[in-house]
């Protein structure tokens, strides 16, 4: 890839493995990951506070008086999705609401 492009922006809609990262590093292309905490000589990252996003969204619904709040997220192998789910669960626990696994869904990616 390094001789075909100067750089790339990578966002994980599917799991990127350590082998994928190793291959990207060997390419010597300049890579920026969105929402994956990783850095090396040619790789940087920009991360979002996904935990806070999940937490704040859940708190908003709780403040409206809702108590049976479902969570629908991406697969749990993706960091961003795991963090949003953690924020959702933290807000529920803080409000004294038990986590109901029947209201928590991981959406599968279409292949």
């Amino acid at each position: 890839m390094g001789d075909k492009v100067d750089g790339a922006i990578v966002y994980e809609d599917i799991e990127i493995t350590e082998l994928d990262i190793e291959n990207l590093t060997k390419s010597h292309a300049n890579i920026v990951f969105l929402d994956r905490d990783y850095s090396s000589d040619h790789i940087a990252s920009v991360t979002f506070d996904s935990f806070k996003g999940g937490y704040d969204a859940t708190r908003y619904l709780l403040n409206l008086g809702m108590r049976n709040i479902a969570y629908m997220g991406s697969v749990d192998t993706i960091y961003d999705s795991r963090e949003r789910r953690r924020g959702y669960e933290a807000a529920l626990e803080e409000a004294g609401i038990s986590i109901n696994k029947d209201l928590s869904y991981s959406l599968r990616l279409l292949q």
Side-chain angles (χ1 to χ4, degrees):
M1 182 170 77
D3 59 344
K4 295 179 184 175
V5 298
D6 294 325
I9 299 169
V10 180
Y11 179 75
E12 284 186 81
D13 277 342
I14 57 172
E15 181 179 10
I16 295 174
T17 66
E18 291 302 316
L19 179 60
D20 295 326
I21 293 173
E22 184 179 322
N23 289 331
L24 288 170
T25 301
K26 288 178 185 176
S27 76
H28 297 289
N30 293 300
I31 308 291
V32 177
F33 279 113
L34 295 180
D35 227 13
R36 182 185 187 109
D37 189 16
Y38 187 88
S39 66
S40 70
D41 290 343
H42 296 279
I43 299 177
S45 62
V46 175
T47 57
F48 316 107
D49 192 341
S50 297
F51 176 90
K52 185 171 180 351
Y55 177 88
D56 287 349
T58 306
R59 288 296 316 163
Y60 175 79
L61 294 174
L62 288 167
N63 288 337
L64 292 176
M66 299 176 188
R67 295 293 176 255
N68 292 315
I69 302 168
Y71 175 85
M72 292 181 227
S74 185
V75 293
D76 285 337
T77 56
I78 297 174
Y79 172 81
D80 187 46
S81 183
R82 285 193 313 268
E83 288 299 293
R84 279 191 293 249
R85 182 185 303 272
R86 279 190 343 99
Y88 156 80
E89 290 176 351
L92 290 179
E93 288 175 355
E94 184 180 275
I97 298 172
S98 299
I99 305 298
N100 182 345
K101 296 297 181 185
D102 292 334
L103 295 177
S104 186
Y105 304 94
S106 287
L107 305 176
R108 302 289 179 238
L109 299 173
L110 299 176
Q111 306 227 352

